[in-house]
Amino acid sequence: MDTIDLIENRIAKEIYFCALKVHRALGPGLLESAYEECLCYELRKEEFLVEKQKSLPLVYEDIKLEVGYRIDLFVENCVIVEVKAVDILSEIHTAQLLTYLKLTNCKLGLLINFNVTLIKNGVKRIANGL
């Protein structure tokens, strides 16, 4: 494991603890946007660099296309967080995050579904092998 992997893993761990704090305070049943705002707030309190709703262009051949992709939270320019509030995470959510990882050349992303009774059951770690 190289240094960047250690850094990304540390960041992912802190994201998880911030999500846990938000979930303990709010519980399930709210809109994704509420959880996203609160998680962003908690991460910034921990002094992480966080970009919210970061625009993600698609490069097709040699053309850069602005097609409306947005990363929910981009933490320290290396970990992508997709916030959900759904009954069950599906394969399309995983595919979405994998696509974002490929488009950004990032290695690590977290899918966090706040619509669960225990947050540990709502977190899915996705790694891009590049």
Side-chain angles (χ1 to χ4, degrees):
M1 192 180 301
D2 62 24
T3 305
I4 191 73
D5 290 331
L6 292 173
I7 292 169
E8 291 163 342
N9 284 323
R10 181 187 62 79
I11 293 167
K13 184 178 177 180
E14 292 301 319
I15 293 168
Y16 173 80
F17 287 126
C18 287
L20 178 62
K21 183 176 182 181
V22 170
H23 191 267
R24 282 183 176 159
L26 301 176
L30 301 177
L31 296 174
E32 286 178 16
S33 58
Y35 296 115
E36 181 181 310
E37 286 291 332
C38 293
L39 182 55
C40 183
Y41 169 77
E42 287 297 331
L43 289 167
R44 287 180 176 158
K45 268 186 15 183
E46 295 297 321
E47 299 185 359
F48 283 103
L49 171 66
V50 182
E51 292 179 80
K52 187 174 52 158
Q53 290 297 314
K54 179 177 174 56
S55 179
L56 182 61
L58 173 66
V59 178
Y60 177 75
E61 293 185 352
D62 292 329
I63 301 171
K64 187 176 180 180
L65 304 167
E66 296 294 336
V67 291
Y69 294 121
R70 296 204 175 277
I71 296 172
D72 288 344
L73 301 174
F74 195 41
V75 183
E76 291 292 319
N77 294 309
C78 66
V79 179
I80 296 173
V81 179
E82 280 300 305
V83 175
K84 302 295 179 194
V86 294
D87 289 334
I88 298 172
L89 287 175
S90 70
E91 290 181 20
I92 197 68
H93 298 125
T94 300
Q96 175 191 19
L97 183 51
L98 274 169
T99 297
Y100 291 176
L101 290 170
K102 289 175 187 171
L103 291 174
T104 58
N105 290 318
C106 288
K107 295 179 187 176
L108 184 60
L110 296 174
L111 268 175
I112 303 177
N113 182 18
F114 283 90
N115 198 33
V116 291
T117 52
L118 293 173
I119 195 67
K120 71 177 185 174
N121 297 331
V123 177
K124 186 171 183 182
R125 180 184 166 99
I126 308 290
N128 179 17
L130 295 175

